[in-house]
Amino acid sequence: MNLDDIRKDIDRIDRQLLDLLSQRADLVHEVGVVKKRDGLQIYAPEREEALLRKLVEMNKGRLPERSIRAIYREIMSAALALEDDLKIAYLGPEGTWTHQAAIKKFGHSVAYSAQPNFAEVFDQVSRRQADYGVVPIENSTEGAVSHTLDLFVDSPLHICAQILLRIENGLMAAIPREDIRTLYSHPQVFGQCRSWLLRNFPDADLVEVSSTTRAAQIAKEKASEGAAALGGPLAAELNGLTLLEECIQDRATNTTRFLVIGEKTCPSTGNDRTSLLFAIHDRPGSLVRALQAFEHFDINMSKIESRPSKRKDWEYVFYVDLAGHCDDDKLRDAIGELEKHCSIVKILGSYPDTTGD
């Protein structure tokens, strides 16, 4: 078979694909009409994850799982845009890792709204200026993001999905490597790259800024002064910088977990995670008895964090992640037992326990 024949076959398949995508778009439009009529959520993370898993299982061709997910992410993004004018608020500015996480979850076809801080992301969704918000919650190297945890105490919003994003930081600049004297980045990025910095730039000045995007902007503005930045490839691309070295983080598996927040939690998928917060009564042994509720009902607790309640000195709020959905009988019973030992118990949300793929 010669090259011209192969290209003719590709053109024929492309026409078929486009026709099928148009048919799919018509059906998606009808889904949107039904959802609006019945007052249903436009975005359904439980349906999304089930579909992606099914497609990966059905795949018998050359495309790897990552490619299947990426292709259908954009198909589903276009579908969301057809169903409604979906707007996603995220911790900005444009080009941050949170922006990249939002694109990974929602694709390029929906509208995005960069917000200056965590509180504004929550506020935009609460006031229905955005349909969903995306915020970081923890990093595998640097731990929990306390600002996000604190906002859940008083917020009416729920967690409806999570995003696991591999963080691959790079050295970016508009000058040669040997001319670099000052490095700009977000403090968490400096923390993720400590060993690399000590080996490669032990004498450079490290300047913390609000985001990797801001760091890239400064690296461009102050290039003549020896400025460079650490951050992701999107920030480098948006600011016209060259990636002098990629993957400089100390741990190859460095991953950040992000949350999608909205007005409603997610129905059960059979493979779920539940996040909740609680505050215990100020009595000896209260925390031990509270946690025993999960052991008694054989509930796996994968995470626990404590934060000052900010309502009373030396009072703490505990955040936990549990295996299962809040509507599962076993988990519901465990939460009921937990409430006996606590002054506050608040379910933040149940959502698909997805992987980073």
Side-chain angles (χ1 to χ4, degrees), residues 302-329:
S302 59
K303 169 187 170 69
I304 182 168
E305 297 279 348
S306 65
R307 291 287 300 158
S309 71
K310 299 186 178 180
R311 295 178 176 180
K312 181 181 176 182
D313 288 348
W314 312 116
E315 179 182 71
Y316 289 85
V317 175
F318 297 88
Y319 299 80
V320 295
D321 283 354
L322 307 166
H325 193 279
C326 60
D327 288 336
D328 296 345
D329 291 341

Side-chain angles (χ1 to χ4, degrees), residues 61 121 140 158 172 181 225 243 260 264 268 270 290 298 315:
V121 176
S140 60
H158 293 87
M172 60 188 83
R181 296 194 298 276
E225 301 173 27
L243 268 176
V260 179
K264 297 180 181 179
S268 177
D298 195 29
E315 179 182 71

Side-chain angles (χ1 to χ4, degrees), residues 196-210:
W196 183 89
L197 286 167
L198 286 172
R199 291 195 308 272
N200 291 274
F201 289 94
D203 300 321
D205 293 326
L206 306 183
V207 181
E208 296 181 353
V209 292
S210 59

Side-chain angles (χ1 to χ4, degrees), residues 52-241:
L52 288 171
R53 288 177 184 169
K54 183 179 179 181
L55 289 166
V56 169
E57 290 172 4
M58 290 166 55
N59 177 35
K60 305 299 180 185
R62 294 178 181 273
L63 290 174
E65 177 178 344
R66 186 169 185 174
S67 297
I68 294 293
R69 284 179 172 267
I71 290 166
Y72 270 86
R73 167 66 51 233
E74 292 306 322
I75 291 174
M76 289 188 287
S77 178
L80 285 170
L82 283 173
E83 290 183 57
D84 200 3
D85 296 326
L86 211 64
K87 181 183 282 187
I88 312 301
Y90 68 92
L91 180 66
E94 186 180 12
T96 58
W97 285 114
T98 309
H99 186 197
Q100 292 186 225
I103 292 172
K104 179 182 178 182
K105 173 57 73 175
F106 292 98
H108 289 82
S109 295
V110 302
Y112 290 98
S113 176
Q115 300 302 316
N117 54 57
F118 295 89
E120 283 299 316
V121 176
F122 276 74
D123 186 61
Q124 286 286 301
V125 181
S126 296
R127 292 192 293 111
R128 298 186 177 179
Q129 298 300 305
D131 298 280
Y132 296 95
V134 176
V135 289
I137 187 65
E138 63 178 330
N139 176 264
S140 60
T141 302
E142 294 298 296
V145 180
S146 58
H147 296 299
T148 302
L149 293 174
D150 291 342
L151 286 164
F152 275 115
V153 175
D154 296 315
S155 174
L157 299 178
H158 293 87
I159 304 167
C160 55
Q162 68 174 3
I163 310 159
L164 298 179
L165 185 67
R166 186 67 59 84
I167 305 299
E168 296 181 344
N169 291 303
L171 171 67
M172 60 188 83
I175 54 176
R177 186 182 180 119
E178 58 270 20
D179 293 340
I180 295 172
R181 296 194 298 276
T182 307
L183 290 167
Y184 294 83
S185 197
H186 187 276
Q188 274 216 335
V189 175
F190 282 139
Q192 294 162 12
C193 304
R194 282 192 189 96
S195 297
W196 183 89
L197 286 167
L198 286 172
R199 291 195 308 272
N200 291 274
F201 289 94
D203 300 321
D205 293 326
L206 306 183
V207 181
E208 296 181 353
V209 292
S210 59
S211 69
T212 52
T213 298
R214 182 60 189 141
Q217 292 168 348
I218 295 172
K220 185 74 171 180
E221 295 164 2
K222 297 186 176 183
S224 61
E225 301 173 27
L230 304 186
L234 183 57
E237 179 184 339
L238 291 173
N239 290 279
L241 299 177

